[in-house]
C-alpha cells in the first residue's frame, strides 16, 4: 500500500469535514421543522384567540354566549385533577422505581414486572378510562369526581414516573452506594440520604413529562364522565356551603363534579356558532401556556437541585 | 377473590360516603344527547343565575343512548334525548325502579344542504334522496344524473353524520325507511363543522345535519327544499315551516326525561318550571324551533299529575306532531 500524499490526506479531511457540516445542517433543519410547527400552532391559536384573552376569560364560567364564556371551571378542574394525579402517582411511582432498582432481586419475576411496566406505557389512554370507569367510578363508588379522574390519570402516568425514577437512579455512580454501605449505612439509609436526593432532578423531570401528558388527555376523562356544562367550583376547604351554616370539609372538593380544559375546548369546537372557535383557540393557547410553564418549573427545580449535589 | 373486592369496595364506600353526601347536596344532574345539550345548557345557565347559584346544575354530553344508560342506573335526574326512549331502555329503567315523565321540548329539523353555487338543485323528493343515500347506492350512484336525468353529468360528493349520532339514525329512518341503513361511501363526521366546511367548498356536494348548524352558516350554504310527501309541495327548511308542521319528514321533536322521584325534590321541580316558562325564548336564542305554548303547559301539567312513562311504546315515529304526543296515553 502506497503512503498517502499530503494532498490526499487534506482531501480526506475535507471530505470528512463536508459530511460533518452536512449532518449539522440536516440536524438544524430537523430541529427547525419541529420548532416551526410549535411556533405556528401557538402563534395561530394566539392570533385567533387574542380578542378573548382577558381577565374575564379566566374568571367567567362557560356560557351559551360565546363572548361571555370563560374557562373558570375548566382551569380550576384541570389544576385540581393534576394535584390528585401528582399526589397519587409520585409516591407510588418513585417507591416502585426505588424498589425495582435497589431492593428487587434479579430474577424472572422482576423481568416480567419490568416488561409489563414498559408495555403499560404504550397502552392507549382510553383503556385506562374504561378500567377506571369500572373500578373507581362504580366498584369504589367514587362517582364522576375529581378523585376518579385524578387516579385514572395517575395510573396513566405511573409507568412514565417509574421508568424515569429508575433511569435517574441508574445514573448515580455505584461508588456512592458502595461508599455509603461501607461506612455501615443500611439500604434504607443509603436510599434516604444518597440515592433519592441525587436522583431527584431526574425523577422530577419524569413526573413533569408525565403530568404534561396527563393534562392534555381527554379520552379517559370523558369515559369516566366529566361534564361539559358546570358553572360552579368544587367546594374550597372549610368554605360555607350555604345551608344552615355548615362548612365544607377539608377534602370535599375531591368528590365534586368537574370539567377540564381539553373537554371545554372540544365542546367549543363542535358548537354551531363560529364565534366559539375563537374561545377554543384562546383556551388552547392557555392550555399550551400551562404545559410550558409546568416544564419551566421543572427545569428551574432541576437546576436548583443539581446545584446542591456535591459528589 | 370476589369477597375481597367486595370488602375493599365496602370500605371505600364507607370512607367516602361522608363527604360525598355533602358535595352532592342540591346538585341537579343532567346528561344525554348533544343535540338537546345547547337548550338545556342555556336553561341551566339562566336558572343558576336566577337562583344566585344556590342550586347547582351540571350538564354532560354522553349521547342519547349513553344518557339513558346513566338515567336508568339512577345516576342522573334528567336525561336529554333526541329520540324517544327505546323498549330496551324502558326495561332497564323498570328494572332499576326509575319512573320518568317524558317531555317534548323543541323541534329539531334536519337540513339537507348544498353549495350556494349549485344552480340545478331547486328541490328534492324523499325518493330522490333515498336513491342517493340507500345502501344499494354504494359504489353505484356516483353522478347526479343517475338520480334524476334532468340533473347534470357531474360527480356527487356526499357529506353526512357519523353512524353513532342520533342525526344519522333519524335521517336514515326518515329517508331510507330503516334506521341506521345507509350507504357507507360518504364523508362522515360527528363534528358538524367538518360537514359545513366540506359542503361549502364543493359545488357538487350535498350533506345533512341539524338545523342549528345551517342557521349559523347560511352565508356559506343553501338549504334544499324538501317535497312534503303528503301535499307534494316543496318546503324550505325554516323555523316557520317546522313550526307549522309542513317541513316533513325531516323534523322531529326532541325530549327531556325527568325522573319522577327527582320531581319530588323542590329544586328539580323549580328547575322544570323555569325550563318550561323560559323554553320559548331560550330555544329561539340557541336557534332551535320551539313547540307551541300548549306543549310547555302540558309538560308542567304532566309533571304535576305524575303522568309517568312514554307515549311511543319503545320505538321512534317519523312525522308525529306534538299535539298527538300530548294527547296520547303514556305507558311505562
Amino acid at each position: 500500500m502506497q503512503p498517502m500524499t499530503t494532498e490526499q490526506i487534506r482531501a480526506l479531511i475535507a471530505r470528512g469535514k463536508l459530511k460533518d457540516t452536512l449532518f449539522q445542517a440536516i440536524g438544524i433543519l430537523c430541529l427547525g421543522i419541529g420548532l416551526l410547527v410549535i411556533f405556528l400552532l401557538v402563534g395561530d391559536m394566539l392570533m385567533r384567540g387574542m380578542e378573548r384573552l382577558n381577565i374575564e376569560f379566566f374568571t367567567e364560567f362557560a356560557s351559551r354566549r360565546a363572548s361571555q364564556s370563560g374557562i373558570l371551571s375548566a382551569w380550576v378542574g384541570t389544576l385540581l385533577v393534576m394535584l390528585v394525579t401528582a399526589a397519587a402517582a409520585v409516591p407510588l411511582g418513585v417507591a416502585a422505581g426505588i424498589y425495582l432498582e435497589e431492593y428487587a432481586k434479579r430474577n424472572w419475576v422482576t423481568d416480567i414486572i419490568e416488561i409489563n411496566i414498559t408495555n403499560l406505557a404504550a397502552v392507549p389512554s382510553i383503556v385506562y378510562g374504561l378500567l377506571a370507569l369500572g373500578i373507581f367510578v362504580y366498584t369504589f363508588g367514587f362517582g364522576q369526581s375529581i378523585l376518579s379522574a385524578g387516579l385514572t390519570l395517575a395510573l396513566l402516568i405511573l409507568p412514565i414516573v417509574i421508568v424515569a425514577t429508575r433511569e435517574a437512579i441508574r445514573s448515580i455512580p455505584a461508588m456512592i452506594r458502595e461508599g455509603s454501605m461501607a461506612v455501615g449505612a443500611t439500604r434504607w439509609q443509603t436510599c434516604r440520604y444518597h440515592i433519592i436526593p441525587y436522583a431527584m432532578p431526574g425523577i422530577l423531570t419524569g413526573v413533569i413529562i408525565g403530568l404534561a401528558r396527563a393534562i392534555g388527555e381527554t379520552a379517559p376523562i370523558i369515559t369516566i364522565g366529566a361534564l361539559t356544562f358546570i358553572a360552579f367550583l368544587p367546594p374550597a376547604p372549610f368554605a360555607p356551603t350555604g345551608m344552615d351554616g355548615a362548612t365544607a370539609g377539608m377534602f370535599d372538593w375531591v368528590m365534586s363534579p368537574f370539567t377540564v380544559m381539553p373537554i371545554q375546548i372540544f365542546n367549543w369546537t363542535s358548537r354551531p356558532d363560529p364565534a366559539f372557535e375563537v374561545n377554543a383557540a384562546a383556551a388552547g393557547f392557555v392550555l399550551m401556556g400551562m404545559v410550558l410553564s409546568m416544564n419551566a418549573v421543572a427545569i428551574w427545580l432541576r437546576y436548583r437541585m443539581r446545584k446542591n449535589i456535591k459528589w | 377473590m370476589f369477597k375481597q373486592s367486595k370488602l375493599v369496595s365496602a370500605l371505600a364506600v364507607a370512607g367516602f360516603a361522608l363527604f360525598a353526601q355533602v358535595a352532592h347536596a342540591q346538585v341537579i344532574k343532567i346528561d344525554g344527547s348533544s343535540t338537546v345539550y345547547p337548550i338545556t345548557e342555556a336553561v341551566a345557565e339562566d336558572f343558576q343565575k336566577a337562583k344566585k347559584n344556590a342550586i347547582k346544575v351540571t350538564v354532560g354530553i354522553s349521547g342519547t343512548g349513553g344518557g339513558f344508560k346513566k338515567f336508568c342506573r339512577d345516576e342522573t335526574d334528567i336525561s336529554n334525548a333526541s329520540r324517544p326512549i327505546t323498549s330496551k331502555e324502558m326495561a332497564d329503567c323498570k328494572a332499576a325502579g326509575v319512573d320518568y315523565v317524558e317531555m317534548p321540548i323543541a323541534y329539531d329539523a334536519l337540513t339537507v344542504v348544498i353549495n350556494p353555487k349549485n344552480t340545478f338543485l331547486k328541490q328534492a323528493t324523499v325518493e330522490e334522496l333515498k336513491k342517493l343515500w340507500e345502501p344499494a347506492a354504494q359504489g353505484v350512484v356516483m353522478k347526479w344524473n343517475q338520480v334524476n336525468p334532468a340533473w347534470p353529468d357531474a360527480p356527487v360528493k356526499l357529506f353526512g353524520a357519523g353512524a353513532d349520532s342520533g342525526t344519522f339514525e333519524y335521517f336514515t329512518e326518515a329517508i331510507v325507511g330503516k334506521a341506521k341503513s345507509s350507504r357507507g361511501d360518504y364523508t362522515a363526521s360527528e363534528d358538524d363543522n367538518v360537514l359545513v366546511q366540506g359542503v361549502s367548498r364543493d359545488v357538487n356536494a350535498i350533506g345533512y345535519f341539524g338545523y342549528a348548524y345551517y342557521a349559523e352558516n347560511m352565508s356559506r350554504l343553501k338549504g334544499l327544499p324538501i317535497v312534503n310527501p303528503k301535499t307534494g309541495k316543496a318546503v324550505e327548511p325554516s323555523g316557520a315551516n317546522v313550526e307549522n308542521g309542513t317541513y316533513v319528514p325531516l323534523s322531529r321533536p326532541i325530549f327531556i326525561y325527568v325522573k319522577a322521584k327527582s320531581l319530588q325534590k323542590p329544586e328539580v321541580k323549580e328547575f322544570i318550571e323555569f325550563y318550561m316558562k323560559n323554553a320559548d325564548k331560550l330555544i329561539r336564542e340557541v336557534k332551535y324551533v320551539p313547540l307551541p305554548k300548549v306543549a310547555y303547559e302540558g309538560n308542567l301539567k304532566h309533571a304535576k299529575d305524575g303522568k309517568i312513562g312514554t307515549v311511543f311504546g319503545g320505538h321512534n315515529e317519523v312525522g308525529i306532531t306534538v299535539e298527538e304526543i300530548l294527547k296520547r296515553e303514556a305507558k311505562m
Side-chain angles (χ1 to χ4, degrees), chain B residues 5 17 23 30 38 47 50 63 80 120 126-127 168 180 183 185 214 223 247-248 262-263 284 304 316-317 320:
Chain B
S5 73
I30 308 172
F47 180 69
N80 291 332
F120 60 88
V126 174
E127 286 73 37
F168 173 77
K180 297 196 176 194
R183 68 192 291 178
D185 55 344
Y214 165 64
Y247 188 69
V248 285
S262 300
L263 270 172
R284 278 177 211 279
K304 217 171 104 203
N316 208 347
E317 279 171 62
I320 185 168

Side-chain angles (χ1 to χ4, degrees), chain A residues 34 75 100 153 156 165 198 206 212 214 249 270 273 276 301:
Chain A
W75 74 258
L100 282 174
L153 294 180
L156 184 76
T165 305
Y198 299 158
S270 59
D273 184 353
F276 280 104
L301 274 175

Side-chain angles (χ1 to χ4, degrees), chain A residues 83-97:
Chain A
L83 202 65
V84 174
T85 304
V90 173
L92 272 177
V94 172

Side-chain angles (χ1 to χ4, degrees), chain B residues 306-322:
Chain B
K307 178 190 176 189
I308 56 169
T310 172
V311 300
F312 289 90
H315 43 83
N316 208 347
E317 279 171 62
V318 172
I320 185 168
T321 65
V322 169

Side-chain angles (χ1 to χ4, degrees), chain B residues 12-91:
Chain B
V13 169
F16 286 98
L18 207 86
F19 48 91
Q21 239 170 13
V22 185
H24 289 313
Q26 296 249 321
V27 176
I28 303 175
K29 285 184 153 192
I30 308 172
D31 208 327
S33 163
S34 58
T35 309
V36 189
Y37 174 80
I39 302 172
T40 304
E41 181 208 37
V43 177
E45 189 187 341
D46 281 14
F47 180 69
Q48 284 193 122
K49 277 200 189 123
K51 293 277 155 223
K52 305 227 159 35
N53 292 323
I55 300 171
K56 296 167 176 176
V57 187
T58 65
V59 191
I61 302 181
S62 299
T64 302
F68 273 128
K69 262 189 206 131
K70 289 184 184 175
F71 186 69
C72 295
R73 240 192 259 126
D74 208 1
E75 288 172 17
T76 52
D77 297 304
I78 298 170
S79 210
N80 291 332
S82 65
R83 53 154 174 82
I85 189 167
T86 64
S87 36
K88 191 184 166 293
E89 288 158 354
M90 288 165 70

Side-chain angles (χ1 to χ4, degrees), chain A residues 14-299:
Chain A
R15 264 210 308 280
K17 277 198 174 158
L18 185 71
K19 277 185 191 161
D20 199 28
T21 326
L22 206 66
F23 182 75
Q24 204 179 354
I26 293 173
I28 290 177
L29 189 74
C30 292
L31 191 68
I33 291 173
L35 279 177
L36 190 72
V37 168
I38 192 150
F39 274 121
L40 277 180
L41 262 176
V42 176
D44 180 54
M45 281 194 295
L46 184 62
M47 296 279 282
R48 285 199 290 158
M50 196 63 176
E51 55 181 293
R52 296 287 301 123
L53 283 171
N54 49 29
I55 301 291
E56 282 82 50
F57 192 59
F58 292 91
T59 57
E60 287 289 332
F61 291 111
S63 160
R64 65 177 180 282
R65 297 179 194 92
S67 58
Q68 291 169 20
S69 219
I71 52 169
L72 182 58
S73 44
W75 74 258
V76 171
T78 290
L79 275 189
L80 291 178
V81 169
M82 284 300 115
L83 202 65
V84 174
T85 304
V90 173
L92 272 177
V94 172
I98 291 173
Y99 174 79
L100 282 174
E101 268 318 295
E102 296 293 321
Y103 288 83
K105 291 194 182 68
R106 299 262 139 233
N107 57 20
W108 62 272
V109 180
T110 343
D111 282 347
I112 288 177
I113 292 176
E114 265 175 39
I115 293 169
N116 269 313
I117 288 171
T118 330
N119 281 334
L120 267 184
V123 170
S125 55
I126 185 92
V127 176
Y128 285 98
L130 293 173
L131 173 87
L133 182 69
I135 295 185
F136 298 136
V137 177
Y138 291 125
T139 313
F140 288 180
F142 294 169
Q144 282 107 19
S145 62
I146 290 177
L147 183 66
S148 296
L151 292 179
T152 312
L153 294 180
L155 283 186
L156 184 76
I157 68 167
L158 204 52
I160 303 176
V161 177
I162 295 176
V163 170
T165 305
R166 299 187 62 189
E167 293 292 331
I169 290 173
R170 266 185 227 162
S171 68
I172 298 168
M175 62 177 193
I176 300 277
R177 210 170 281 124
E178 286 157 7
S180 169
M181 300 237 179
V183 295
T186 60
R187 255 203 278 208
W188 167 240
Q189 284 166 327
T190 309
C191 282
R192 167 77 181 77
Y193 295 103
H194 300 282
I195 304 295
I196 298 178
Y198 299 158
M200 214 53 199
I203 294 174
L204 254 166
T205 314
V207 168
I208 298 285
I209 291 174
L211 287 180
R213 177 178 171 194
I215 203 172
E217 279 296 346
T218 325
I221 305 262
I222 287 188
T223 320
I224 65 162
L227 294 146
T228 25
F229 177 79
I230 174 161
F232 56 88
L233 294 179
F238 311 121
T241 52
M243 288 177 299
D244 45 55
T247 54
M250 182 76 186
F251 290 109
D252 274 5
W253 58 269
V254 298
M255 295 310 283
S256 171
F258 68 102
T259 191
V260 290
M261 297 282 290
I263 292 182
Q264 185 65 67
I265 295 171
F266 175 70
N267 176 252
W268 277 337
T269 54
S270 59
R271 306 279 294 226
D273 184 353
F276 280 104
E277 279 168 31
V278 179
N279 287 10
F285 182 76
V286 173
L287 185 59
M288 278 299 287
M290 286 170 105
V291 174
L292 287 178
S293 49
M294 258 166 62
N295 285 335
V297 169
I299 292 169

